[in-house]
Amino acid sequence: MPVSSHYRAAPRFLELGDGFADPVQPARFPQHRLRFRNQRWAERIGLGELDEAEWERHFARFEPLPENVSEPLALRYHGHQFRNYNPNIGDGRGFLFAQLEDPVDGRLLDLATKGSGRTPWSRDGDGKLTLKGGVREVLATEMLEALGVYTSKSYSLFETGENLHRNDEPSPTRSSVLVRLGHSHVRFGTFQRYLALGDRERIERLLDYSVRHYAPEAAAEADVPAAFLRIVLERSAALCASWMVAGFVHGVLNTDNMNVNGESFDYGPWRFLPTHDPRFTAAYFDHAGLYAFGRQPQGVLWNLARLGDTLAELTDPSELERVLGAFPEHFLRHHREKLAARLGLVAPDDHVAMELQSVCRAFLEESQVGHDRFFFDWFGGAASEARAAASPEAERYGGPGFTALRRAMDACAPIDAMRLAQPYFEGAGPVTLLIDEVEPLWDAIAERDDWSLFEQKIAAIRAMGEATGLASAVRAR
Ligand code: AMP
Ligand code: MG
């Protein structure tokens, strides 16, 4: 198999020993039709030279990669789902397929599946992923990456030729298997499982493993569990801030969907918000709006407190409480940074950054300007004045709220004025991924097997990420 010298197998999960995963067999599918191949990430990890047959062998038939995990592993975890503890979950339709070291920055990466068949944790599920679910995960990850959100990547998507039955899609519906490239699948719920089982020894093992591979800076501190919680909290605050600036609603912020590396993953009923509305909710089944746009910071903090409950087995809980108390400060600081970055601006000092944050938020809420439209129109601040004046939403750029915002933007400098010369900024408007675009894009596939809208959307999203520079910022992390 033609792996390049960039390929670095690193099957570290085995260091955890027994009790963390179950070996499983991948499903056999009647058909393998490649629908998405993430060539740029494949090249980065040394797998870009695989030909079609090899790609299919590894990412549809799941033959192990060289020197890697020898048998797929369904990972064990629990989690709070909509605040109710569920001890019956785990990898019910996925497994860890391989681990690799990122040749660029040394991160330990996982290739893991979604829709690869039943496992001991499937309960009464079929272990499969609908094609629409796969398409939606690819779109979400591409858009988030382009907007500078630290996210898992969609690595491969095969259509698999089965008919699935779901309550939330017209059924029967087409099937797929996704491979996701992520910075670990250690979830808050992985820790929670061993608290629920009263297994302190495995909490210690999991913490050692997590510190060694994902938070080595905690190792030298006097209180390692508290240092680990602090690091996870800072990363999660940064992630949540970047969702808020992206206008992204994850939809299912359960503790089993949060990773200790602050990497966003597992995309189900996600939505992007059309205009700033704190009550905007993604999941049709989230009747109480628990995970509405404006409640995401609270949701993330609540989840961090559940991770803290587990770490309290190993250290003084009052120290963990102190760590949790710092969430708002970290969230707001990251939010300021990400907001300025999405506007293509650099604030000269904290005072201006805080002012920009407060007036921008007020303006977005009051004016109900299109969320993406605003950032498109005003990228680079004053330098975009003429472009903004020609926007279909130009009439919203007036009044006292806007005057205050304009003053704050004028006090900042553009990150790189040259970016405005990119063709993207001469286009008619922002690249967006609102539900009104996702549904027709899926309908073209469902009704006519027409993948052109999907492919064009991905190309447009990538071009946007390159034009704003936000995509390269996240890739370098
Ligand atoms: P999710 O909502 O995707 O985060 O999944 C929550 C839990 O339900 C996890 O344990 C999944 O593995 C499991 N699950 C979701 N869909 C299926 C399915 N079709 N078959 C088996 N398990 C599933
Ligand atoms: Mg999940």
Side-chain angles (χ1 to χ4, degrees):
M1 176 189 148
V3 295
S4 84
S5 57
H6 293 322
Y7 171 79
R8 308 215 173 114
R12 308 279 180 256
F13 195 84
L14 308 170
E15 291 168 12
L16 276 166
D18 68 318
F20 289 89
D22 300 86
V24 289
Q25 291 291 317
R28 296 209 165 279
F29 301 108
Q31 186 198 80
H32 300 142
R33 291 198 66 172
L34 184 63
R35 297 301 191 183
F36 177 77
R37 167 173 169 147
N38 199 332
Q39 185 60 20
R40 60 184 187 182
W41 276 93
E43 281 168 18
R44 169 142 160 178
I45 61 174
L47 296 171
E49 289 158 35
L50 266 61
D51 66 22
E52 277 176 38
E54 288 158 339
W55 190 274
E56 179 177 336
R57 190 176 318 134
H58 295 294
F59 305 123
R61 279 184 237 284
F62 300 106
E63 286 182 22
L65 289 171
E67 320 281 308
N68 221 305
V69 178
S70 60
E71 253 179 325
L73 294 171
L75 307 187
R76 298 182 182 181
Y77 54 84
H78 288 176
H80 275 95
Q81 300 187 308
F82 290 84
R83 309 252 155 125
N84 300 308
Y85 195 73
N86 190 345
N88 298 313
I89 52 176
D91 271 346
R93 54 169 163 174
F95 50 67
L96 177 66
F97 174 61
Q99 288 186 301
L100 313 103
E101 192 184 297
D102 186 329
V104 176
D105 57 20
R107 287 176 310 165
L108 177 57
L109 296 173
D110 291 357
L111 285 169
T113 61
K114 190 168 182 178
S116 50
R118 289 180 53 81
T119 77
W121 313 107
S122 301
R123 294 170 287 168
D124 43 14
D126 58 7
K128 302 290 170 65
L129 174 66
T130 66
L131 182 60
K132 184 178 186 186
V135 162
R136 282 180 49 90
E137 178 142 343
V138 173
L139 291 170
T141 51
E142 288 286 328
M143 187 68 173
L144 290 172
E145 181 181 6
L147 289 171
V149 176
Y150 191 54
T151 176
S152 67
K153 311 299 180 292
S154 297
Y155 186 77
S156 168
L157 182 72
F158 277 94
E159 180 169 359
T160 49
E162 294 178 313
N163 286 322
L164 305 180
H165 291 268
R166 292 290 183 274
N167 296 330
D168 53 359
E169 285 184 40
S171 295
T173 186
R174 288 151 74 180
S175 64
S176 67
V177 67
L178 177 85
V179 179
R180 168 195 290 162
L181 178 67
H183 188 192
S184 110
H185 284 77
V186 176
R187 305 153 191 257
F188 295 6
T190 314
F191 278 88
Q192 288 182 286
R193 184 173 197 273
Y194 301 96
L195 177 67
L197 298 177
D199 189 346
R200 187 194 152 104
E201 198 264 324
R202 283 200 178 78
I203 300 176
E204 282 173 352
R205 266 201 253 164
L206 185 59
L207 179 64
D208 282 353
Y209 172 86
S210 302
V211 167
R212 185 159 63 251
H213 295 298
Y214 304 123
E217 57 280 38
E221 299 211 24
D223 186 338
V224 174
F228 179 68
L229 184 64
R230 192 191 71 233
I231 291 165
V232 176
L233 179 138
E234 289 183 16
R235 292 169 177 172
S236 305
L239 172 64
C240 189
S242 61
W243 286 334
M244 301 308 281
V245 172
F248 182 71
V249 190
H250 181 285
V252 204
L253 280 188
N254 295 332
T255 56
D256 52 302
N257 285 340
M258 291 200 55
N259 178 321
V260 296
N261 286 314
E263 186 187 56
S264 179
F265 77 114
D266 211 8
Y267 300 102
W270 61 268
R271 285 196 188 191
F272 282 90
L273 132 143
T275 63
H276 198 100
D277 172 7
R279 288 158 310 171
F280 183 84
T281 303
Y284 68 91
F285 48 84
D286 185 2
H287 304 294
L290 181 66
Y291 298 140
F293 177 67
R295 291 176 82 176
Q296 294 186 117
Q298 281 162 263
V300 169
L301 177 56
W302 192 89
N303 291 342
L304 285 159
R306 303 292 73 76
L307 176 62
D309 294 343
T310 304
L311 296 169
E313 289 292 293
L314 308 180
T315 189
D316 176 4
S318 62
E319 194 47 36
L320 299 170
E321 280 298 324
R322 210 182 51 74
V323 169
L324 292 168
F327 182 85
E329 175 197 316
H330 289 294
F331 171 75
L332 291 171
R333 176 170 51 82
H334 286 292
H335 185 266
R336 283 195 284 285
E337 283 169 14
K338 314 242 176 229
L339 180 74
R342 187 156 185 209
L343 269 171
L345 293 172
V346 194
D349 55 43
D350 281 353
H351 175 75
V352 173
M354 284 165 141
E355 179 65 13
L356 181 66
Q357 178 177 42
S358 100
V359 295
C360 188
R361 188 179 161 166
F363 172 75
L364 289 173
E365 207 165 324
E366 270 164 36
S367 68
Q368 288 296 297
V369 63
H371 186 87
D372 301 298
R373 182 90 226 178
F374 168 74
F375 289 100
F376 175 81
D377 285 348
W378 287 99
F379 189 85
S384 279
E385 187 165 22
R387 272 187 338 107
S391 162
E393 302 231 33
E395 68 194 30
R396 297 185 198 272
Y397 304 139
F402 185 74
T403 307
L405 172 55
R406 185 62 208 268
R407 206 177 305 122
M409 290 196 289
D410 287 353
C412 298
I415 288 176
D416 180 357
M418 293 307 289
R419 291 203 170 275
L420 289 172
Q422 301 261 354
Y424 173 67
F425 291 108
E426 281 157 27
V431 172
T432 57
L433 198 55
L434 302 177
I435 191 74
D436 313 359
E437 297 165 83
V438 175
E439 288 295 321
L441 190 156
W442 167 251
D443 290 342
I445 297 170
E447 289 161 17
R448 305 184 293 282
D449 205 29
D450 173 1
W451 289 79
S452 61
L453 293 178
F454 172 75
E455 280 155 16
Q456 284 159 19
K457 184 55 100 175
I458 289 171
I461 288 171
R462 289 185 173 188
M464 170 185 69
E466 299 303 326
T468 59
L470 293 170
S472 54
V474 74
R475 242 176 279 147
R477 190 198 124 144

